[in-house]
Amino acid sequence: MRRLLVAGNWKMNGSLSFTAELISGVAARASHAAGQNPPNYDILVCPPAPYLGLAVEQSNSQSVSIAVGAQNVSSHLKGAFTGETSLPMIADLGCEYVLLGHSERREYYQESDVLVAEKFSACRSFDSSLVPVLCVGESLEEREAGKTEIVVARQIQAVLGKVGIAGFKGAVIAYEPVWAIGTGKTASPEEAQLVHEFIRNLLRDHDAKVAEEIQLLYGGSVKPDNAEQLFAQTDIDGGLIGGASLDVESFAGICEAAQKLA
Ligand code: PEP
């Protein structure tokens, strides 16, 4: 049985005080909703790099476990790469996850499939306990041209070609249709399920166990009022949440949907 994962991508938002308040607020709500037991799903927050250390510290002082992840990382482990953050640095801070290939990185910073695969590979060979969250998804134009599966398969194949199916063991994939990110448009649960099923089958062709165990998240305008229906789909194991992760009430509401289902 796969656990659900509710992950918040803060993008370039937040501050020191926001980081402390959001994490303690979400932990308090999640703890209350779970009652005596620990939550039966996982929570992850991905703040901007300058706040990762504080986020880890703040998470460690809560009664509920909240993992911290980086939003991006260099494919190089160290050296003359001004402005970059390395895998050893984020691991040193206590991060447990790293987002790779978010559509905003692909679009605004020209991250190619090859570069994303290099980052994924670096992550796997650096420290197998640091979980890569590979983001994939098609644009509106690609969806309308009937190319959703082609695009998603291409993005995943690039990584498979580099790390093989073994590299996906314990990793996470987030399917985020670009047309649904920050637009208020959500893929219907059925539309999202179809793509998630496609991804799991693609992995199953390589290794049934890895495919069965991998957490596949949906991302794109997930809110408290649509989370439960999305997460209830057979192949959707939680969400990667942008806008709604910036507010205790809405992120906690999404966590509560996971708590109900898990
Ligand atoms: C995201 O950027 O990963 C995302 C899913 O954003 P939003 O929830 O705001 O659509």
Side-chain angles (χ1 to χ4, degrees), residues 138-148 150-151:
E138 81 288 1
S139 65
L140 182 60
E141 207 183 3
E142 289 162 338
R143 170 159 284 253
E144 285 175 350
K147 291 188 177 154
T148 299
I150 295 171
V151 171

Side-chain angles (χ1 to χ4, degrees), residues 21-34:
E21 284 160 22
L22 194 290
I23 290 173
S24 56
V26 169
R29 286 277 304 261
S31 166
H32 180 76

